[in-house]
């Protein structure tokens, strides 16, 4: 449509060099001057009619199906989310897992009780020592030797477990921050994780696949300078956490993706089986270490942080605070740790020292029987649970009295968290999917087993 | 303590309890499949067991009934835990064994029941969306059954339409 012309517009506007006739007539200047707009006249491109016209033009918003994953850089591990979007809003979501399934249970049924430790390393592969400890406690409960584990071994399990919890949370928060653009935070947190893994590597011989815990204790004693190195490490990690917090807490981009996004109520969280930092972010103070103390957790003074709104920011804040509480536990544990053996003194369970294996016939036979036949676990069933990186890490094991488990089921916290992911992302924007997913902290190895 | 919860359960449903034990301190009750829904709803609403911790199955091949579905419950108020088991047999050449779904009581059971269907081939009556969860739809058999050989390989065949 054409806009009405302003009043007093000259009938003719002439461009170009003045002609001799115009110069003679004295109209050359008048014909080329811009018309002076009267007061109140606005150029057509700023008129309101234009805006109205643009508002009438609406984008077609038919529901569209978008595949997020399975191979997506922000998908920790491999998971596929089929989103039905309307514009920028997620209307429906179907979360599909299983791409990393590698038959943990089936393999475990064919392995001896000790051979399962390497499989547990690969469950939650950013905190493998917590899985080691959880599995060892389950077998020990069925063996009935929970009270006979040497104290020093229990302290070492707490120490390596809390170090793993810190690496777990560092990875989760660092990766989530990187996904919303805060790449510096990622580098700093991964640097701190690396310090922890260097110390773990010195102790266990591996960064990720530690297999350090044994049924009846741990594989080896702490290295001689472990305590001073751990104290120095805690100081540096604390400093890093402070720096990271100063980058994130007042960061508008980060807060926009975290505050009030993907809220979950405590009632819903319990109904959907949430545990761990995600449950605590909704305000339910359930922590296995406090509510059902195992190992020596009842001897430490630490707090269980809880959130109030159950949104992404609470999940972030709970994890930040949990790392600080883990460092408190570490400081107390390294003070209290008593000297002594790190393996139970029972030839039916722990391997004899190498000196005996190579020099005595009894030692060699004992070693051979334990390696080939495995530890004989009495028949029965048991469910044992610990606080893993993502929540209650349970092992339900059934034994038929032989050296191999009849069934070895792991209760994977992130698998159970993932089934309610669609509740969190439906109704939000596409841009909120990745931060929400990051704060759930699904670990592919644990979710798919 | 959890023992009191178990005693209360036995007193309320004496006809539905097959066996109980407290091995290693885990209070356990084996109940009849016909009363499962009723007992679970009672445990949630009157017993306070509001958290379904875990749901899995065990295949006791050669025993009758062959399968056991195992539920682990926790009360968020008291912290007590309870294990409920239900035994279901298999009809040779018949339809897959079936047990009532508890998704309507605890939504958390959704994926765990799908996983049991996927890996053990036990169906859950009343489940809203009983698809495979860890394996793909074209997979033949249920690998955690004891008669599924560990070495069996299957080609991964692709569905024609990748979208649901």
């Amino acid at each position: 449509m054409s806009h009405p012309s302003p009043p007093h517009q000259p009938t003719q506007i002439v461009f170009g060099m003045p002609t001799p006739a115009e110069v003679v007539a004295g109209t050359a200047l008048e014909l080329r001057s811009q018309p002076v707009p009267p007061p109140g006249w606005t150029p057509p491109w700023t008129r309101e009619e234009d805006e109205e016209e643009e508002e009438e033009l609406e984008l077609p918003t038919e529901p569209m199906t978008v595949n997020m994953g399975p191979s997506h850089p922000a998908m920790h591990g491999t998971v596929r989310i089929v989103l039905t979007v309307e514009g920028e809003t997620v209307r429906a979501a179907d979360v599909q897992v299983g791409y990393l399934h590698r038959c943990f249970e089936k393999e475990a049924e064919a392995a001896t009780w000790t051979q399962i430790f390497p499989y547990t390393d690969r469950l939650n592969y950013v905190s493998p020592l917590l899985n080691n400890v959880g599995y060892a406690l389950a077998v020990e409960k069925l063996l009935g030797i929970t009270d006979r584990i040497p104290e020093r071994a229990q302290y070492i399990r707490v120490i390596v477990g809390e170090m793993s919890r810190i690496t777990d949370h560092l990875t989760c928060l660092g990766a989530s921050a990187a996904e919303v653009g805060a790449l510096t935070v990622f580098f700093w947190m991964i640097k701190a994780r690396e310090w922890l893994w260097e110390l773990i590597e010195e102790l266990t011989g591996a960064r990720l696949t530690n297999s350090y815990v044994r049924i009846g204790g741990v594989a080896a004693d702490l290295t001689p300078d472990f305590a001073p190195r751990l104290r120095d490490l805690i100081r540096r990690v604390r400093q890093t956490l402070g720096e990271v917090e100063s980058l994130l807490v007042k960061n508008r981009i980060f807060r926009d993706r975290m505050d009030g996004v993907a809220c979950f109520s405590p009632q819903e969280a319990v109904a959907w089986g949430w545990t761990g930092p995600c449950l605590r972010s909704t305000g339910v103070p359930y922590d296995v270490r406090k509510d059902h103390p195992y190992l020596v957790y009842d001897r430490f003074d630490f707090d269980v942080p809880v959130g109030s709104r159950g949104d992404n920011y609470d999940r972030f804040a709970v994890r930040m605070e949990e790392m600080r509480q883990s460092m408190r536990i570490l400081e107390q544990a390294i003070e209290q740790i008593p000297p002594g053996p790190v393996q139970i003194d029972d030839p039916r369970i722990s391997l004899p020292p190498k000196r005996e294996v190579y020099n005595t016939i009894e030692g060699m036979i004992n070693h051979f029987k334990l390696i080939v036949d495995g530890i004989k676990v009495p028949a029965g069933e048991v469910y044992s649970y610990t606080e893993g990186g993502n929540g209650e890490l349970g092992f339900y094991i059934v034994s038929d009295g032989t050296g191999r488990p009849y069934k070895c089921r792991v209760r994977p916290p992130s698998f159970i968290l993932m089934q309610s992911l669609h509740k969190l992302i439906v109704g939000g924007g596409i841009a909120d999917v990745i931060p929400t997913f990051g704060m759930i902290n699904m670990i592919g190895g644990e979710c798919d087993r | 303590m959890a023992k009191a919860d178990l005693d209360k359960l036995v007193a309320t449903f004496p006809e539905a309890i097959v066996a109980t034990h407290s091995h290693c301190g885990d209070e356990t009750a084996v109940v009849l499949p016909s009363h499962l829904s009723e007992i679970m709803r009672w445990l949630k609403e009157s017993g306070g067991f509001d958290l379904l911790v875990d749901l899995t199955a065990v295949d006791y091949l050669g025993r009758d009934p062959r399968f056991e579905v195992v539920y682990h419950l926790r009360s968020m108020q008291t912290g007590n835990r309870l294990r409920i088991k239900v035994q279901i047999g298999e009809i040779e050449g018949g339809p897959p064994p079936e047990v009532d779904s508890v998704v309507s009581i605890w939504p958390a059971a959704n994926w765990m029941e799908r996983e049991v269907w996927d890996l053990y081939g036990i169906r859950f009556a009343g489940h809203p969306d009983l698809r495979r969860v860890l394996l793909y739809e074209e997979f033949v058999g249920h690998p955690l059954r004891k008669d599924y050989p560990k070495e069996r390989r299957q080609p991964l065949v692709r569905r024609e339409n990748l979208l649901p």
Side-chain angles (χ1 to χ4, degrees):
Chain A
M1 86 183 251
S2 64
H3 295 287
S5 306
H8 304 294
Q9 196 167 9
T11 49
Q12 185 192 14
I13 298 177
V14 178
F15 300 97
M17 293 292 286
T19 58
E22 286 168 2
V23 175
V24 171
T27 58
L29 198 63
E30 193 192 335
L31 284 171
R32 278 167 187 76
S33 64
Q34 288 290 321
V36 180
W41 182 80
T42 53
W45 53 87
T46 65
R47 280 182 201 160
E48 283 178 6
E49 300 151 7
D50 256 12
E51 285 167 21
E52 280 165 19
E53 200 175 1
E54 273 175 20
E55 274 170 17
E56 282 162 21
L57 282 174
E58 281 201 357
L59 286 168
T61 52
E62 278 176 26
M64 196 167 88
T65 306
V66 175
N67 258 311
M68 206 170 251
S71 196
H72 186 282
M75 294 288 166
H76 316 178
T78 331
V79 61
R80 178 175 177 223
I81 307 177
V82 184
L83 298 168
T84 306
V85 294
E86 215 175 280
E88 280 286 314
T89 315
V90 178
R91 290 287 175 224
D94 182 24
V95 182
Q96 298 176 3
V97 297
Y99 291 90
L100 243 54
H101 181 59
R102 57 208 184 285
C103 321
F104 166 78
E105 284 185 44
K106 194 77 178 171
E107 295 287 345
E109 285 170 12
T112 64
W113 294 98
T114 315
Q115 282 172 339
I116 295 172
F117 280 106
Y119 294 132
T120 62
D121 283 338
R122 288 147 180 88
L123 290 172
N124 185 338
Y125 38 67
V126 284
S127 54
L129 286 160
L130 283 168
N131 308 329
N132 282 183
V133 173
Y135 171 70
L137 286 173
V139 181
E140 284 160 9
K141 189 173 171 186
L142 194 50
L143 279 163
I145 56 167
T146 310
D147 303 330
R148 288 168 53 207
I149 307 302
E151 247 187 30
R152 187 173 177 84
Q154 299 200 28
Y155 272 95
I156 293 176
R157 286 177 178 186
V158 168
I159 290 170
V160 294
E162 292 308 313
M163 285 172 76
S164 297
R165 192 181 316 282
I166 299 175
T167 60
D168 185 277
H169 289 358
L170 281 173
T171 316
C172 166
L173 301 184
S176 298
E179 282 155 15
V180 294
L183 205 61
T184 314
V185 172
F186 177 69
F187 290 139
W188 289 1
M189 285 190 145
I190 295 302
K191 186 180 67 179
R193 187 182 76 170
E194 204 53 45
W195 297 334
L196 284 155
W197 274 353
E198 274 168 16
L199 191 55
I200 286 176
E201 187 181 12
E202 188 183 288
L203 177 65
T204 69
R207 293 165 76 247
L208 276 175
T209 50
N210 311 106
S211 301
Y212 170 67
V213 181
R214 296 283 184 277
I215 296 163
V218 293
D221 203 349
L222 297 178
T223 49
D225 60 344
F226 189 86
R229 286 192 60 184
L230 182 64
R231 284 198 192 94
D232 176 53
L233 195 94
I234 291 172
R235 186 184 54 77
R236 285 186 288 161
V237 173
R238 256 201 198 116
Q239 193 185 346
T240 305
L241 289 189
E243 288 166 356
V244 163
E245 226 167 29
S246 67
L247 278 184
L248 290 181
V249 170
K250 291 182 182 168
N251 182 328
R252 177 70 196 273
I253 301 169
F254 183 72
R255 292 299 292 251
D256 276 356
R257 291 276 158 256
M258 294 284 151
D259 274 332
V261 174
C263 294
F264 219 45
S265 73
Q267 292 81 14
E268 277 180 307
V270 171
W272 281 91
W274 281 26
T275 47
C278 292
L279 176 67
R280 291 193 282 276
S281 77
T282 66
V284 182
Y286 169 50
D287 187 321
V288 182
R289 295 173 294 170
K290 270 279 191 231
D291 291 284
H292 309 277
Y294 54 98
L295 294 174
V296 285
Y297 276 110
D298 48 350
R299 300 184 195 174
F300 304 123
D301 176 29
F302 67 101
D303 299 320
V304 177
V306 292
S308 54
R309 294 169 296 179
D311 61 354
N312 278 347
Y313 188 74
D314 276 353
R315 290 191 267 281
F316 161 80
V318 163
R319 284 199 172 91
M320 281 302 271
E321 188 53 35
E322 266 184 27
M323 285 194 273
R324 298 207 163 95
Q325 297 299 330
S326 288
M327 286 189 272
R328 276 179 71 191
I329 296 175
L330 281 174
E331 282 172 337
Q332 294 169 51
I334 207 77
E335 284 299 323
Q336 294 176 13
I337 186 166
V342 295
Q343 261 284 344
I344 188 170
D345 183 20
D346 190 334
R348 290 167 301 174
I349 294 163
S350 64
L351 289 173
K354 281 284 181 285
R355 197 180 56 253
E356 280 180 32
V357 176
Y358 294 134
N359 295 306
T360 66
I361 188 70
E362 294 83 6
M364 200 185 80
I365 292 173
N366 188 1
H367 185 272
F368 180 83
K369 293 295 276 182
L370 279 179
I371 294 292
V372 174
D373 292 347
I375 298 166
K376 295 279 187 296
V377 176
E381 55 179 340
V382 80
Y383 179 75
S384 162
Y385 42 96
T386 55
E387 183 71 24
N390 281 327
E392 180 174 320
L393 178 75
F395 282 91
Y396 172 65
I397 53 177
V398 180
S399 171
D400 53 359
T402 62
R404 287 155 214 272
Y406 191 76
K407 178 181 172 69
C408 177
R409 146 92 176 169
V410 55
R411 180 215 188 257
S414 56
F415 178 75
I416 290 157
L417 289 170
M418 276 299 281
Q419 65 175 328
S420 46
L421 179 66
H422 70 279
K423 298 271 293 179
L424 297 177
I425 58 179
V426 166
I430 297 178
D432 293 333
V433 172
I434 291 298
T436 306
F437 176 71
M439 278 299 141
I440 286 284
N441 192 24
M442 172 212 158
I443 305 290
E446 180 187 78
C447 180
D448 300 343
R449 284 154 288 146
Chain B
M1 284 307 290
K3 188 87 181 80
D5 289 316
L6 185 64
D7 293 342
K8 209 171 143 195
L9 173 71
V10 174
T12 315
F13 298 96
E15 74 289 351
I17 309 292
V18 180
T20 60
H21 73 73
S22 302
H23 186 235
C24 292
D26 293 352
E27 314 293 339
T28 308
V30 185
V31 306
L32 287 175
S34 51
H35 291 68
L36 181 73
S37 283
E38 190 191 352
I39 288 176
M40 287 306 202
R41 198 165 287 283
W42 180 83
L43 281 172
K44 163 92 185 287
E45 281 158 14
S46 307
F49 287 93
D50 41 3
L51 180 71
L52 176 71
V53 177
D54 193 19
L55 191 164
T56 186
V58 193
D59 175 10
Y60 294 100
L61 184 63
R63 202 182 77 176
D64 190 44
R66 178 176 171 185
F67 294 102
E68 230 171 43
V69 182
V70 187
Y71 304 81
H72 287 95
L73 312 176
R74 182 185 192 266
S75 160
M76 296 305 280
Q77 275 79 40
T78 61
N80 290 346
R81 285 171 184 263
L82 199 58
R83 179 190 298 144
I84 301 293
K85 299 204 289 186
V86 53
Q87 297 177 331
I88 34 169
E90 186 195 35
I91 308 153
E92 198 67 44
E98 193 170 65
V99 68
D100 283 339
S101 168
V102 294
V103 175
S104 56
I105 306 169
W106 295 282
N110 192 323
W111 278 23
M112 292 192 263
E113 287 186 350
R114 280 174 65 185
E115 188 189 329
V116 169
W117 156 243
D118 192 357
L119 303 180
Y120 282 97
I122 299 170
R123 293 201 69 85
F124 290 88
H127 190 285
D129 179 25
L130 198 65
R131 286 177 292 157
R132 285 184 185 267
V133 61
L134 291 178
L135 299 171
Y136 44 96
E137 283 299 329
E138 293 80 3
F139 192 88
V140 180
H142 303 282
L144 275 186
R145 288 187 172 200
K146 289 284 178 183
D147 51 6
Y148 188 96
K150 188 165 147 278
E151 294 77 22
R152 181 177 290 172
R153 296 285 179 269
Q154 289 195 25
L156 173 56
V157 283
R158 196 170 63 88
R159 247 182 304 177
E160 288 199 356
N161 184 9
L162 277 175
L163 290 177

